[in-house]
């Protein structure tokens, strides 16, 4: 494909999105001129979002980093000089050897996430390098860790209802997910179900695009999702709307749960959630009377202090109604567990001489960078932009500004993080790589092979870590393996029955291959929980120091059980920063077309909260708490309950230096999974013309 100047070539969307769309890349005179959807893909069927449709503007962006760079100014200034790859590799490996000699290998930390979802890009040669190096290990829990933990305690693995089945549901509840912006093909399937008579209900803190599309939108206070789910359980048990035969055969703890939820009356739950008691009853009745109720669990409800329990509570609901046995029924949080690659072959943990090396949680990178007892002396950042995405940004920024911290950033752009680097390495785009892709929603695995040659001197993650591994003198064979050989290794996992249908040859011929889903029919008979059943009561949770059944626990920073702000008058508003429509986390935040579509950061604020602050629609405001400030434009409206303010999207640093939502967010960890608590944040809001009164 690289050598063909003109034509249309298959590709894969690399973004951290459930859909993992099949693409067609159009080339003219050797350059990509258009990106469209591949109509032959069985799930995405040619439909793609604006983000990917405009991918060429990202690939050929004027500000793309094309050569290795060395810092010449102060950290954060963004002043660099061009150097050669040989110089870059020599400096990096030389500094690493010195640091290891003086402080030990654990003074070096990789920091990455899924800015590119390619398996080789983030779970391959990079892991081999840091294993062989003996570096500290990163706990990658910034996104879905809390929810996955809550789901696994209940269901055993990240597997649920597969997408194609959901068009047969007659009630679809989208709980905490703006899927029009983040999972558009699930919307297509839900729309098919709705045309056949299904009802679509959205439960969220914000009347976002998905809530506007729904038949019924139920707003609730942030972090109260578990209480609402428990209130639904109360009604289902009380009114005899449970499938007792299913509960007896496929669950443990249903009798204990029946007694437990008696305390969660609609009246009590209404006070906690802000949802009227009659709506709680109505919601439970609609769900309980459904022939095939499906719950789509989004990311929003897990980004709280109680995020794991929120998902755990919702995950119990399909068992009460027996929805799992109905075509289209059940639930899904993540289906990533179906595609189980051979991670040992990819990551080579056998190369690590210190398997007990310390682990550092990526949500608390600010604390780690300020740890004087076990100091981090070097960081290697790739596929992530922590100075935009990590919580408590000011604290993180101060850590990155340390002159004694040697930082390497491998990226396509001079990100906010890259400005603090000592060495910047130019990264290839997905269309310049060979990689393997799976979805955490649908069941198709895809291969990406290069469509264009690398721009400038850009290199892929596989190339970079191969170079560094050989330069460090590590195992020659491990750091000389080709991408195609690594893909073959990844696909060879006889422990997973779902992988039986996959081979490199099939992927190269067909471009996308469906997992062997024959085991799906026996889903309920082989749950990987300790009991082999759906665990409504979990002994494992008791052993972990957690309540064995779903409970509602008030937020540490937010509202108590009677919807009173824990911070009182100081920071009385809850602040949430969910995704916007045209960025994906910080990706596309520097692309002019996407910036134009999003316009500028806005704060959605309820009239009852705007009026006493004398804030008018379109006025500049400052959102603040003890961690920092965030300046943006007020959008006054009733799209959420009073007491909650919302800013969608993660913006790169603005001209005034005050456009980072994560200046405000805490680095506390969630109740389970060590996940992020972005949405358990309280703030105050004032007109920009007034001076914020900030107390630590």
């Amino acid at each position: 494909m690289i050598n063909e100047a003109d034509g249309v070539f298959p590709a894969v969307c690399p973004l951290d999105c459930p859909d993992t769309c099949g693409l067609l890349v159009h080339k003219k005179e050797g350059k990509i001129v258009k990106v469209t959807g591949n109509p032959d893909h069985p799930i995405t069927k040619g439909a793609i979002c604006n983000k990917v449709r405009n991918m060429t503007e990202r690939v050929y962006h004027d500000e793309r980093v094309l050569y290795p760079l060395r810092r010449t100014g102060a950290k954060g200034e963004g002043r660099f000089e061009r150097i050669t790859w040989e110089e870059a590799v020599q400096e990096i490996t030389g500094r690493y050897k010195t640091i290891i000699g003086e402080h030990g290998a654990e003074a070096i930390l990789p920091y990455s996430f899924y800015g590119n979802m390619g398996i080789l890009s983030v779970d391959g040669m990079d892991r081999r390098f840091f294993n062989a190096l003996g570096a500290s290990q990163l706990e990658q829990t910034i996104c879905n860790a809390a929810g996955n933990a809550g789901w696994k305690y209940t269901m055993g693995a990240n597997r649920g209802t597969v997408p194609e089945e959901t068009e047969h549901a007659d009630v679809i509840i989208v709980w905490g997910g703006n899927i029009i912006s983040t999972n558009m093909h699930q919307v297509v399937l839900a729309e098919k179900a709705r045309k056949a008579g299904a009802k679509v209900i959205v439960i969220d803190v914000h009347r976002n695009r998905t809530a506007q599309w729904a038949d019924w939108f139920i707003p609730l206070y942030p972090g109260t999702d578990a209480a609402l789910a428990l209130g639904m359980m109360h009604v289902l048990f009380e009114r005899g709307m449970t499938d007792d035969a299913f509960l007896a055969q496929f669950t443990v703890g249903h009798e204990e749960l029946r007694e437990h939820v008696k305390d969660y009356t609609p009246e009590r739950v209404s006070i906690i959630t802000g949802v009227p008691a009659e709506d709680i009853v109505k919601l439970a009745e609609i769900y309980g009377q459904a022939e095939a109720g499906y719950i789509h669990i989004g990311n929003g409800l897990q980004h709280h202090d109680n995020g794991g329990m929120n998902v755990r509570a919702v995950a119990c609901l399909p068992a009460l109604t027996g929805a799992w046995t109905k075509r289209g029924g059940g639930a899904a949080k993540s289906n990533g567990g179906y595609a189980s690659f051979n991670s040992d072959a990819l990551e080579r943990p056998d190369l690590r001489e210190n398997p007990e090396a310390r682990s550092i949680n990526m949500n608390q990178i600010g604390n780690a960078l300020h740890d004087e007892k076990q100091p981090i002396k070097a960081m290697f950042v790739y596929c992530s932009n922590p100075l935009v995405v990590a919580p408590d940004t000011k604290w993180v920024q101060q850590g990155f500004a340390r002159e004694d911290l040697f930082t390497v950033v491998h990226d396509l752009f001079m990100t906010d993080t890259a400005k603090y680097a000592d060495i910047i390495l130019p990264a290839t785009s997905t269309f310049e790589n060979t990689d393997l892709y799976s979805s955490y929603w649908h069941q198709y695995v895809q291969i990406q092979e290069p469509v264009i040659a690398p721009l400038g001197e850009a290199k892929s993650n596989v190339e970079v870590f191969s170079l560094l591994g050989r330069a460090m003198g590590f195992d020659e064979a491990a750091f000389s393996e080709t991408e195609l050989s690594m893909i073959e290794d990844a696909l060879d996992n006889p422990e997973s029955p779902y992988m039986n249908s996959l081979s490199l040859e099939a992927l190269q011929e067909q471009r996308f291959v469906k997992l062997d889903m024959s085991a799906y029919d026996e889903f309920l008979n082989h749950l990987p929980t300790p009991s082999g059943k759906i665990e409504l009561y979990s002994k494992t949770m008791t052993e972990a120091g957690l309540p064995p059944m779903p409970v509602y626990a008030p937020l540490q920073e937010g509202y108590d059980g009677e919807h009173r702000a824990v911070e009182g008058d100081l920071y009385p508003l809850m602040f949430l920063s969910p995704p916007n429509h045209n960025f994906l986390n910080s990706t596309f935040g520097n692309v002019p077309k996407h910036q134009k579509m999003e316009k500028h950061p806005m704060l959605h604020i309820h009239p009852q909260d705007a009026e006493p602050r004398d804030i008018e629609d379109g006025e500049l405001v400052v959102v603040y708490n003890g961690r920092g400030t965030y300046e943006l434009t007020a959008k006054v409206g009733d799209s959420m309950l009073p007491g909650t303010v919302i800013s969608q999207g993660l913006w790169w640093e603005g001209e005034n230096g005050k456009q980072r939502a994560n200046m405000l967010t805490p680095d506390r960890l969630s109740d389970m999974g060590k996940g992020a608590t972005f949405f358990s944040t309280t703030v105050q809001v004032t007109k920009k013309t007034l001076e914020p009164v900030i107390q630590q």
Side-chain angles (χ1 to χ4, degrees), residues 175-177 202-208 211 217-225 273 300-301 304 574-578 638-642 644-646 679:
W175 202 314
V202 168
I203 300 170
D204 212 306
V205 299
H206 181 216
R207 190 184 293 111
N208 51 38
F217 167 52
I218 302 174
L220 77 170
Y221 294 133
T224 64
D225 306 85
T273 63
L301 64 164
H304 287 287
M574 286 223 52
F575 172 78
L576 288 86
S577 50
D638 61 354
S639 61
M640 62 273 137
L641 296 179
T644 303
V645 292
I646 294 172
F679 296 167

Side-chain angles (χ1 to χ4, degrees), residues 92 96 378-382 406-410 421-425:
I92 294 167
Y96 281 3
M379 287 193 65
F380 197 115
V381 180
Y382 59 104
F406 176 66
T407 302
V408 180
V409 173
H410 183 218
D422 296 283
I423 299 289
I424 300 177
L425 302 177

